Amino acid sequence: MPLHSPAADRNKGPILATLQQALPPNGTALEIASGTGQHVAWFAAAMPGWTWQPTDADAESLPSIAAYTSEAGLTNVRAPLLLDVSAPTWPSPAQPFTTPFDAIYCANMIHISPWATCAALMQGAARHLAPHGVLVTYGPYLEADVPTSPGNIAFDQSLRERNPAWGIRHLDEVRAEARRAGLALRERHALPANNLALVFARN
């Protein structure tokens, strides 16, 4: 039986609307940290012009991703792969990707992993994006000129209690890591539950 995330069900609609706005009708997308597989199945069904490559760092997630794809009868989702975002080559340990992606999508990873994964995500995106490609990230962020919601304050505290290396990241610091990799923040979309979808492109 596939894994299930209630949060993924709640946020998949608003994220899909952002992707449909930010992306062209056709392309190839790499999903980082696919988790249960609910997102990629939802996006692929609604965006038939796109081919999706789901990945996750947890081998136990791969059967769940494949199950959602199979149950939906999708033909535009490739078999899920194991991918450690911090590895020097993507994916790991499979054969490295040789064809660039038109989009890379990553949800809810940066705050539930050590800070070094943010830099690794940006550097990896710069290696694997096509010249016109974009990186889309989703999750909560701290912003200098935007009051942090009580929910995000509590969430940040709970993350740091679980692991001191985790926590909601400052958007300015994420933008700085993107700049080091040659990427710039092109779009900021405010989504429900105090989350943001950020669209990065090459400088």
Side-chain angles (χ1 to χ4, degrees):
M1 174 177 271
L3 304 172
H4 180 76
S5 165
D9 265 345
R10 289 194 300 268
N11 62 35
K12 65 185 183 182
I15 298 173
L16 171 62
T18 300
L19 292 176
Q20 290 173 321
Q21 177 181 338
L23 302 180
N26 303 285
T28 304
L30 168 65
E31 184 183 31
I32 302 293
S34 297
T36 63
Q38 289 163 258
H39 275 183
V40 72
W42 180 260
F43 301 156
M47 303 173 69
W50 280 78
T51 298
W52 292 81
Q53 174 61 72
T55 68
D56 202 272
D58 183 359
E60 294 183 2
S61 295
L62 303 189
S64 179
I65 300 166
Y68 276 105
T69 300
S70 176
E71 288 177 4
L74 298 168
T75 59
N76 59 330
V77 181
R78 297 171 181 168
L81 297 173
L82 196 65
L83 189 151
D84 176 359
V85 74
S86 299
T89 59
W90 288 1
S92 49
Q95 188 72 21
F97 295 130
T98 57
T99 303
F101 293 93
D102 302 296
I104 295 176
Y105 167 73
C106 180
N108 293 324
M109 183 198 76
I110 294 175
H111 59 285
I112 313 179
S113 58
W115 171 243
T117 61
C118 178
L121 174 65
M122 298 302 175
Q123 295 290 338
R127 291 195 307 269
H128 292 285
L129 278 175
H132 58 275
V134 296
L135 165 67
V136 181
T137 67
Y138 168 84
Y141 293 88
L142 304 176
E143 298 182 88
D145 300 323
V146 178
T148 304
S149 69
N152 275 352
I153 292 174
F155 183 40
D156 180 63
Q157 181 177 347
S158 70
L159 288 172
R160 296 179 187 278
E161 288 173 352
R162 289 167 61 191
N163 188 323
W166 295 1
I168 298 179
R169 309 306 181 184
H170 287 270
L171 179 54
D172 287 344
E173 295 178 358
V174 174
R175 292 177 69 175
E177 288 295 347
R179 282 196 300 271
R180 292 186 186 98
L183 304 175
L185 181 61
R186 190 175 77 181
E187 300 174 22
R188 173 195 177 278
H189 299 266
L191 298 186
N194 302 298
N195 289 300
L196 299 177
L198 306 177
V199 181
F200 297 88
R202 294 189 188 279
N203 289 325

